[in-house]
């Protein structure tokens, strides 16, 4: 049987197609909140990094009452690097709002999330959003979305999807593009009419699949998931069915259901509800919470494997310990393994014989968000060059390939083709959309490392770039690395204007006067191939004689400040990114110049 008083629905889309803005609009029009409760934009993006970057990183649950029905909405990330979040929370839903930008149309991540929704047999509702854009083409985008359904192998039932046109910013939904609506009620009516209620079996023993973990300073670990069968009451004894057929006894100290923007404690929750259970300290994502007398596990949450790996180690530079609180390998180990509890797409592997860890994720952004979070918590660490994860299949070494989509003005297309071609990218499709050229490439994942910055520089910031994992294929030839060498400090001390003035004529500097440097620290980019040891602490010699005109005014160019992602893309195999709460520095692995020369001779 199915419940009619509840709907569980996920909102999925490509990044920046308006998922979180749509949720804001539904919250404001629900009539359940005071104006002071819904301040600002992207209300659900409560994480500090989400606010700064303007993207959703973590999936979030809310509930909206409408016409006597409780609609559980799950807002998901749109960036491909956070696909693991999408894959696990889709297990809680019965339907999916597939948002598509009325101008951009289906993008790489649209294909990924839609493929997952069809795999889980969710009822799709297509929402063509941003129809208020000047370059909107909603009817064409609807046709492109239908073609995407067919490409992904949707059967006749799923391909005959209901659809709605919306403007989440202006707050209306309509079935007719020419007729502007006045509210989101048509969309909510469509959800109630088309999305089925959860299929339940109340008489069966309890089975609850854990898809998210939360944590509270007061009650500890909180397991969040959907009840597939039975019911759970406060203080009920339960069994936690873990990986490897292990079973652990536990007790549900408290049970919460989602209500509006928060949670509400209840005595009992039944099949179909999305709940948060308190008191189960040993529970992990993918576990089944079951009746202790009937231990039948649900299929575990499976996510796609990571494609990128970095080496995390403690900060070993001469300036270590100046900013951070957590400096030892024990702190680093505990923090990384704690992250595994919530981040299902992450993998951590200790490297034998060292105090370093190989950390694998879905992409550069996925791992850089973890690094940025750790540095704000007070960690100091060193990060190695990102490497793609290869595999052997039938005796052939394979590497991940990605689908790269670039939108640029037609006059900037030449440099893009040149840069992508040099990195083994192949043009798959090209089309014109308004004033922009829309190019789709197939490129090795290692070719993408460092490509974004070069594309933006070559197109003067006009390129819009997206990519998504495509498949594993045989390893292609070499991909060119960084064209220029770097300036490496050969002395410790503070950089001075006189020393930098002599260097800026032949290089681009990464530091400003007054910054502390050490031997082996990278202070700039050389204008030529090869590294060059320099002395940025060199001061002008003082003499007793002065002559008019002998002193000149020093004018320094502003230094190039690298963000964390830019620094990770920039470094080569013999370099590290030093990350502390206050600074991001580049350095050589071997700090002493004599050690680097000896290592170069041994390699030769």
């Amino acid at each position: 049987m199915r419940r009619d008083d509840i709907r569980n629905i996920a909102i999925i889309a490509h990044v920046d197609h308006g998922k979180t803005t749509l949720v804001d609009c539904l919250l404001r029009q629900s009539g359940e909140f005071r104006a002071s409760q819904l301040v600002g934009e992207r209300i659900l993006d409560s994480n500090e990094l989400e606010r700064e970057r303007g993207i959703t990183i973590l999936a979030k649950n809310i509930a909206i009452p409408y016409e006597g029905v409780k609609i559980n909405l799950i807002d998901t990330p749109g960036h491909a690097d956070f696909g693991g979040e999408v894959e696990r929370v889709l297990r809680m839903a019965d339907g999916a709002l597939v948002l598509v930008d009325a101008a951009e149309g289906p993008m790489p991540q649209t294909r990924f999330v839609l493929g997952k929704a069809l795999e889980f047999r969710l009822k799709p509702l297509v929402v063509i959003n941003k129809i208020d854009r000047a370059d909107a083409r909603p009817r064409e985008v609807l046709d492109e979305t239908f073609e995407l359904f067919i490409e992904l192998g949707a059967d006749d039932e799923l391909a005959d999807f209901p659809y709605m046109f919306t403007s989440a910013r202006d707050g209306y939904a309509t079935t007719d593009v020419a007729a502007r609506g006045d509210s989101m009620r048509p969309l909510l009516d469509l959800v109630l009419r088309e999305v089925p209620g959860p299929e339940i079996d109340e008489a069966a023993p309890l089975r609850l699949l854990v898809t998210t973990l939360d944590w509270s300073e007061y009650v500890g670990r909180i397991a969040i998931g959907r009840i597939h069968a039975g019911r759970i009451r406060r203080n009920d004894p339960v069994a936690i069915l873990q990986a490897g057929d292990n079973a652990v006894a536990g007790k549900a100290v408290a049970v919460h259901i989602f209500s509006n923007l928060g949670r509400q404690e209840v005595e009992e929750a039944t099949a179909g509800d999305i709940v948060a259970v308190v008191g189960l300290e040993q529970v992990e994502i993918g576990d089944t919470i079951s009746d202790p007398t009937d231990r039948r596990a649900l299929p575990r949450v499976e996510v796609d494997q990571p494609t990128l790996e970095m080496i995390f180690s403690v900060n070993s530079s001469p300036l270590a310990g100046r900013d951070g609180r957590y400096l030892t390998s024990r702190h680093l180990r505990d923090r990384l393994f704690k992250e595994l509890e919530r981040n299902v797409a992450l993998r951590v592997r200790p490297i034998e014989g060292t105090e370093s860890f190989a950390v694998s994720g879905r992409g550069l952004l996925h791992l850089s968000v973890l690094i940025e979070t750790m540095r704000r918590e007070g960690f100091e660490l060193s990060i190695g060059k990102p490497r793609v994860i290869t595999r052997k299949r039938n005796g052939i070494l394979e590497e991940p390939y990605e689908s790269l989509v670039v939108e640029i003005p037609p006059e900037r297309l030449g440099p893009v083709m040149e840069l992508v071609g040099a990195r083994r990218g192949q043009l798959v499709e090209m089309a014109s959309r308004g004033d922009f050229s829309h190019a789709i490439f197939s490129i090795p994942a290692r070719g993408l490392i460092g490509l974004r910055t070069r594309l933006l520089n070559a197109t003067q910031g006009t390129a819009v770039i997206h990519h998504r994992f495509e498949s594993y294929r045989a390893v292609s030839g070499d991909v060119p690395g960084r064209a220029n060498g770097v300036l490496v400090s050969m002395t410790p001390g503070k950089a001075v204007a006189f020393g930098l003035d002599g260097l800026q004529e032949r290089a681009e500097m990464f530091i400003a006067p007054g910054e502390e440097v050490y031997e082996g620290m990278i202070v700039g980019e050389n204008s030529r191939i090869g590294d060059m040891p320099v002395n940025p602490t060199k001061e002008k010699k003082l003499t007793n004689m002065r002559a008019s005109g002998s002193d000149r005014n020093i004018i320094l160019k502003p230094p190039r400040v690298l963000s964390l992602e830019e620094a990770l893309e920039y470094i080569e195999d013999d370099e590290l990114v030093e990350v502390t709460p206050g600074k991001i520095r580049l350095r050589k692995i071997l700090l002493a110049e004599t050690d680097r020369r000896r290592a170069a001779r041994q390699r030769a």
Side-chain angles (χ1 to χ4, degrees):
M1 59 181 290
R2 290 188 180 273
R3 286 182 65 173
D4 287 333
D5 62 336
I6 196 167
R7 299 289 188 275
N8 296 324
I9 191 161
I11 302 182
I12 57 178
H14 187 79
V15 64
D16 203 31
H17 278 199
K19 297 180 301 300
T20 307
T21 306
L22 179 69
V23 174
D24 285 0
C25 182
L26 294 175
L27 288 171
R28 288 194 168 94
Q29 294 189 14
S30 66
E32 295 291 318
F33 305 94
R34 298 186 304 274
S36 59
Q37 290 178 277
L38 304 175
V39 178
E41 297 179 344
R42 301 191 309 278
I43 298 159
L44 290 194
D45 285 349
S46 52
N47 183 289
E48 185 180 353
L49 277 174
E50 292 179 320
R51 287 278 178 194
E52 289 179 12
R53 294 169 180 262
I55 60 173
T56 301
I57 295 172
L58 303 171
K60 303 173 189 69
N61 300 54
I62 61 165
I64 297 177
Y66 180 71
E67 301 288 347
V69 177
K70 177 180 171 184
I71 302 176
N72 283 316
L73 282 174
I74 308 166
D75 184 24
T76 64
H79 200 285
D81 284 19
F82 305 109
E85 289 278 313
V86 181
E87 289 175 71
R88 61 183 175 81
V89 299
L90 286 182
R91 297 287 291 271
M92 294 193 287
D94 299 296
L97 285 183
V98 184
L99 254 70
V100 186
D101 190 298
E104 293 183 357
M107 296 293 279
Q109 183 69 353
T110 313
R111 175 183 290 270
F112 171 79
V113 293
L114 180 57
K116 291 297 177 184
L118 297 178
E119 183 183 321
F120 293 131
R121 300 295 298 176
L122 303 186
K123 175 69 176 180
L125 275 63
V126 173
V127 178
I128 309 298
N129 192 30
K130 301 189 182 182
I131 61 172
D132 55 308
R133 285 182 58 162
D135 56 349
R137 45 189 191 93
R139 289 290 177 187
E140 291 176 44
V141 167
L142 185 62
D143 292 341
E144 291 171 9
T145 307
F146 176 74
E147 290 170 7
L148 179 59
F149 270 77
I150 301 302
E151 278 182 43
L152 292 173
D155 57 29
D156 292 344
E157 182 184 352
L158 291 176
D160 187 20
F161 53 82
Y163 60 89
M164 187 71 63
F165 300 103
T166 65
S167 170
R169 189 184 67 176
D170 293 345
Y172 69 87
T174 178
T175 54
D176 182 5
V177 180
R180 179 190 167 105
D182 55 4
S183 75
M184 281 290 175
R185 291 184 68 89
L187 179 59
L188 293 173
D189 291 337
L190 184 69
V191 169
L192 296 193
R193 188 168 64 248
E194 297 290 344
V195 177
E199 193 172 339
I200 62 168
D201 186 356
E202 285 190 8
L206 170 68
R207 287 203 302 279
L208 187 161
L209 181 66
V210 179
T211 51
T212 307
L213 288 180
D214 201 355
W215 190 82
S216 164
E217 293 181 3
Y218 304 102
V219 297
R221 190 173 296 193
I222 302 169
I224 299 172
R226 173 177 155 182
I227 304 175
H228 287 261
R231 58 187 66 224
I232 186 169
R233 300 179 183 87
R234 188 171 63 168
N235 293 325
D236 268 359
V238 296
I240 304 169
L241 308 182
Q242 301 175 328
D245 296 328
N246 294 329
V248 178
K251 178 181 175 182
V253 175
V255 178
H256 296 81
I257 61 172
F258 288 87
S259 176
N260 297 338
L261 284 173
R263 300 176 193 149
Q264 174 187 350
E265 187 171 355
V266 293
E267 287 293 323
E268 177 186 80
T270 59
D273 281 324
I274 295 176
V275 298
V277 182
V278 176
L280 307 176
E281 284 302 311
Q282 298 185 57
V283 73
E284 303 286 349
I285 289 175
D287 292 352
T288 299
I289 299 173
S290 77
D291 188 302
T293 61
D294 188 326
R295 300 179 176 182
R296 283 184 291 169
L298 292 162
R300 291 189 70 82
V301 175
E302 299 290 342
V303 299
D304 290 345
Q305 293 300 308
T307 58
L308 199 70
E309 183 178 82
M310 298 182 196
I311 304 300
F312 284 42
S313 56
V314 294
N315 185 13
S316 58
S317 87
L319 302 182
R322 301 275 183 99
D323 293 342
R325 290 183 294 155
Y326 305 113
L327 311 170
T328 66
S329 58
R330 180 178 61 83
H331 286 135
L332 180 60
R333 179 190 182 88
D334 292 347
R335 178 64 180 84
L336 289 175
F337 280 96
K338 182 181 177 183
E339 184 69 21
L340 287 178
E341 296 176 0
R342 301 175 64 173
N343 200 333
V344 294
L346 199 73
R347 303 285 184 273
V348 176
R349 173 175 56 87
I351 299 176
E352 290 186 17
T354 70
E355 295 183 341
S356 303
F357 300 86
V359 182
S360 309
R362 285 287 186 86
L364 195 66
L365 184 62
H366 183 204
L367 294 174
S368 69
V369 165
L370 169 61
I371 297 167
E372 183 65 34
T373 304
M374 290 175 66
R375 73 181 282 229
R376 294 185 184 201
E377 292 171 358
F379 282 84
E380 288 194 16
L381 57 158
S382 297
I383 314 294
K385 180 179 173 64
R387 297 176 178 276
V388 299
I389 299 172
T390 57
R391 70 180 189 186
K392 270 208 168 183
R393 192 174 182 184
N394 300 326
I396 299 173
L397 188 64
E398 296 182 332
E399 66 176 339
Y401 270 70
E402 306 234 350
S403 174
L404 172 67
V405 178
V406 185
E407 287 195 355
I408 56 297
E411 63 271 15
R412 309 281 185 193
L413 188 58
V416 172
M417 299 287 285
E418 185 180 345
L419 283 168
V420 176
R423 289 168 169 262
R424 303 281 172 179
Q426 294 185 342
L427 183 65
V428 176
E429 183 184 332
M430 182 180 290
S432 294
R433 288 186 180 172
D435 297 333
F436 283 81
S437 291
H438 183 85
I440 302 176
F441 301 89
S442 181
I443 184 171
R446 60 197 165 103
L448 286 173
I449 299 172
L451 181 62
R452 175 180 290 273
T453 305
R454 288 180 172 86
L455 285 178
L456 291 174
N457 288 340
T459 60
Q460 297 182 341
T462 57
V464 179
I465 306 157
H466 300 291
H467 60 87
R468 179 191 66 86
F469 173 74
E470 197 174 72
S471 63
Y472 271 89
R473 297 185 213 159
V475 173
S476 56
D478 292 336
V479 170
R482 189 177 64 211
N484 297 2
V486 290
L487 304 187
V488 185
S489 175
M490 56 186 184
T491 55
K494 285 195 174 181
V496 295
F498 181 80
L500 297 181
D501 182 48
L503 298 174
Q504 70 174 359
E505 296 176 2
R506 69 192 82 174
E508 185 176 15
M509 304 309 299
F510 295 158
I511 60 170
E515 288 191 37
E516 196 154 359
V517 299
Y518 54 84
E519 183 182 8
M521 178 175 161
I522 296 172
V523 296
E525 181 180 272
N526 195 358
S527 59
R528 300 178 182 179
I529 299 172
D531 299 340
M532 182 168 63
V534 297
N535 181 10
T537 64
K538 181 181 178 182
E539 296 180 340
K540 183 177 181 181
K541 296 287 186 262
L542 297 178
T543 65
N544 291 328
M545 303 300 292
R546 287 282 187 262
S548 64
S550 62
D551 285 342
R552 67 185 185 89
N553 191 24
I554 294 176
I555 300 175
L556 294 176
K557 292 183 291 187
R560 177 177 163 194
V561 179
L562 298 176
S563 67
L564 179 58
E565 283 93 352
E566 289 170 343
L568 292 170
E569 288 182 337
Y570 185 82
I571 58 174
E572 289 296 338
D573 293 333
D574 63 336
E575 297 164 0
L576 296 173
V577 178
E578 177 190 347
V579 179
T580 72
K583 285 285 185 184
I584 295 173
R585 303 183 183 95
L586 306 183
R587 53 162 285 191
K588 291 290 184 179
I589 294 177
L590 300 174
L591 297 179
E593 186 185 352
T594 53
D595 294 340
R596 294 197 298 274
R597 286 182 176 176
R598 188 181 301 116
R601 284 197 301 269
Q602 290 173 353
R603 286 195 301 268

